[in-house]
Amino acid sequence: MTFLVDSHCHLGDLKFGDIDQDLNEVLDNARDAGVTHMLCVNTDLGTFPDMYSRIRERPNVFASVGTHPLNVNDYDWTEQELLDYAEYPKVVAIGEIGLDYYYDEETKEKQKDVFTRQIRIARQVKKPIIIHGRCAKDDIFRIVVEEKAAEVGGIFHCFADDWELAQKVLDLGFYISVSGMVTFKKATNIKDIASRIPLDRLLLETDSPYLAPVPKRGKPNQPAYVKYVAEEIARIRDLSVQEICDITSANFSRLFNLNLSDN
């Protein structure tokens, strides 16, 4: 069986009318596009129970739990709360966590504290982390090293940084996920990164409902559109789409210790 996996989507952020009906439609579209599995990523512990309730009974949809760096002031979470949520049956990762200095430098210190604490919890529960980074590569890499995050590994998601950082995180054993930005004409840096990531560390994502790829750019993104990411990377790497699907699905399975055929 062929598997095509969206390693990073935000199904809880779909806000188009009746959420339940829209979610059913989104999952039907994914199935029709050959997307068999997806990871629904949490960005705020305060919204996790609602997000989880929506995907709990959905076959082939996994979850993560964590606080996004831009949400550090939105919810006063406790470490015990994160520990409890991390044990939910479908939760396979801690994330989306990290640092983002693009919008608000005033929260730098709090972001670093929250990032550090969540890495420590990930090591405690022995689950990979999903890292968001923007305009903060030096601090992110330093904290990842200092907190021994490589013990659990994980993903640098929606990677749009430079090859120097890519090499460093790959050397630590992390995976790199490529989003629909790779289809953008002017995204030459991302295309270059996608051409150089070792195939056994490559993952695909949509980051939906954001960053819809060409030819859907400007519309709400959805997991079905990960096929366009696969097609573009296949073109860049001079491989078949089938090969990219097989390779990235195997990588997803290995990272999260999942047998996709059983889900």
Side-chain angles (χ1 to χ4, degrees):
M1 180 180 178
T2 298
F3 298 110
L4 178 54
V5 178
D6 182 357
S7 70
H8 192 112
C9 59
H10 298 284
L11 298 179
D13 288 350
L14 297 172
K15 301 184 187 303
F16 312 118
D18 180 349
I19 183 66
D20 292 326
Q21 182 61 45
D22 285 330
L23 182 55
N24 288 332
E25 181 179 351
V26 163
L27 295 177
D28 286 345
N29 291 342
R31 184 191 64 243
D32 293 344
V35 181
T36 57
H37 299 76
M38 62 200 73
L39 176 54
C40 181
V41 177
N42 180 228
T43 59
D44 179 350
L45 263 67
T47 64
F48 175 77
D50 181 58
M51 183 201 87
Y52 191 82
S53 70
R54 292 174 179 172
I55 62 95
R56 181 179 54 207
E57 304 301 328
R58 310 283 182 168
N60 307 338
V61 181
F62 304 100
S64 73
V65 60
T67 295
H68 188 287
L70 294 181
N71 294 337
V72 293
N73 287 328
D74 291 351
Y75 184 74
D76 190 18
W77 60 278
T78 67
E79 293 186 4
Q80 187 58 54
E81 187 175 20
L82 180 54
L83 284 166
D84 290 343
Y85 288 151
E87 297 302 327
Y88 279 29
K90 303 195 83 173
V91 172
V92 298
I94 303 299
E96 167 177 0
I97 65 177
L99 302 175
D100 191 323
Y101 299 161
Y102 183 79
Y103 289 110
D104 185 4
E105 292 195 358
E106 293 181 2
T107 63
K108 273 187 176 182
E109 294 307 313
K110 187 168 186 179
Q111 285 188 38
K112 287 187 281 189
D113 175 64
V114 170
F115 185 31
T116 297
R117 289 162 60 200
Q118 291 184 104
I119 291 174
R120 292 175 181 174
I121 289 172
R123 290 177 58 210
Q124 185 174 340
V125 298
K126 297 181 171 58
K127 293 190 176 182
I129 57 178
I130 300 169
I131 297 178
H132 168 101
R134 183 161 46 173
C135 302
K137 69 176 185 177
D138 291 338
D139 281 348
I140 284 181
F141 188 72
R142 175 182 56 78
I143 292 171
V144 163
V145 172
E146 289 178 354
E147 295 301 323
K148 302 178 182 177
E151 289 184 4
V152 291
I155 305 170
F156 275 71
H157 108 92
C158 197
F159 195 87
D161 219 301
D162 55 37
W163 180 244
E164 179 185 6
L165 179 62
Q167 285 184 305
K168 288 180 178 179
V169 303
L170 289 166
D171 287 345
L172 289 177
F174 281 85
Y175 292 70
I176 292 178
S177 180
V178 179
S179 74
M181 289 192 295
V182 75
T183 68
F184 299 172
K185 184 177 180 179
K186 294 182 179 180
T188 54
N189 178 60
I190 298 173
K191 293 179 189 292
D192 178 63
I193 295 290
S195 74
R196 301 166 75 176
I197 300 169
L199 288 173
D200 64 352
R201 301 290 187 78
L202 174 66
L203 292 169
L204 312 177
E205 67 166 274
T206 59
D207 202 17
S208 56
Y210 318 105
L211 298 175
V214 175
K216 303 294 184 178
R217 192 171 183 184
K219 299 179 180 180
N221 203 358
Q222 56 181 289
Y225 299 164
V226 76
K227 68 178 182 179
Y228 299 115
V229 183
E231 289 170 357
E232 177 63 10
I233 293 179
R235 185 193 67 78
I236 291 170
R237 304 292 298 240
D238 194 24
L239 295 170
S240 70
V241 174
Q242 180 68 63
E243 287 173 306
I244 292 298
C245 293
D246 291 345
I247 289 166
T248 55
S249 297
N251 293 344
F252 183 87
S253 301
R254 182 170 60 254
L255 173 60
F256 295 115
N257 194 29
L258 295 168
N259 185 343
L260 299 187
S261 62
D262 290 341
N263 292 281

